[in-house]
Amino acid sequence: MKKYLIGALIAGLALLASCRDRIPKIDEEVPIQEESQPARLATVVLPQDGGDFTIKTGEVIEYSRQVWGSVGETYSVNYDESAFKMEYVDSKEGRTVTPGGDQSVGTTYLEALKKGNFEIEVEHRFRGKTRKVVKYNITVK
């Protein structure tokens, strides 16, 4: 039994010795790796009231709106799926664990994939019923 304990102790010390160069010192700064974001040429932030916009292929359209799932405050974006690649990000900032504490800001990113004239509709809904539809005319060059 003694042989196994001594062997394990020696193996542990050898492992520590091999890692000593990778362990940061107390006064050494450790670099923080941030999440990588996809490279984008440019971003056009859409206003809440619609409009006409011109972008280039590869550029991104951004639309943000408050969402509150438990209350029924949501939105959806209708777009040509062959012309845009969509990514949705739901911010969790400000959320609480109390009932109704799930409000956040939903952001939709649409990357232009091809040239042409397209219409994007954003449907604002409350408890499943459409409250407002906002239209955007997008020209991709």
Side-chain angles (χ1 to χ4, degrees):
M1 180 74 158
K2 225 180 202 184
K3 291 179 186 178
Y4 293 118
L5 290 176
I6 292 173
L9 180 63
I10 291 172
L13 289 173
L15 179 64
L16 283 174
S18 69
C19 295
R20 75 169 180 219
D21 293 336
R22 290 179 273 191
I23 300 173
K25 309 292 185 260
I26 291 177
D27 58 345
E28 181 181 348
E29 286 188 31
V30 178
I32 298 173
Q33 292 183 343
E34 296 181 16
E35 291 184 29
S36 63
Q37 295 293 323
R40 296 184 172 131
L41 294 176
T43 300
V44 174
V45 179
L46 297 178
Q48 297 292 316
D49 56 353
D52 299 332
F53 299 90
T54 301
I55 62 173
K56 296 176 182 173
T57 303
E59 291 184 335
V60 175
I61 296 168
E62 175 184 326
Y63 182 84
S64 296
R65 178 157 177 80
Q66 180 176 333
V67 292
W68 204 337
S70 65
V71 175
E73 187 78 36
T74 62
Y75 78 91
S76 65
V77 178
N78 302 313
Y79 62 97
D80 182 341
E81 293 182 14
S82 69
F84 297 96
K85 176 183 171 188
M86 193 268 287
E87 177 185 351
Y88 178 78
V89 177
D90 185 6
S91 82
K92 308 269 192 264
E93 293 178 28
R95 285 191 172 186
T96 63
V97 292
T98 58
D102 63 335
Q103 76 229 26
S104 63
V105 175
T107 302
T108 299
Y109 299 96
L110 295 170
E111 179 182 352
L113 300 176
K114 66 180 184 180
K115 296 177 182 181
N117 295 311
F118 306 98
E119 183 176 89
I120 295 174
E121 291 183 352
V122 179
E123 184 179 348
H124 300 190
R125 290 190 306 267
F126 182 69
R127 296 187 180 166
K129 294 183 180 177
T130 300
R131 292 286 175 118
K132 181 180 180 181
V133 176
V134 182
K135 295 183 181 186
Y136 302 91
N137 295 309
I138 309 295
T139 301
V140 181
K141 294 188 175 201

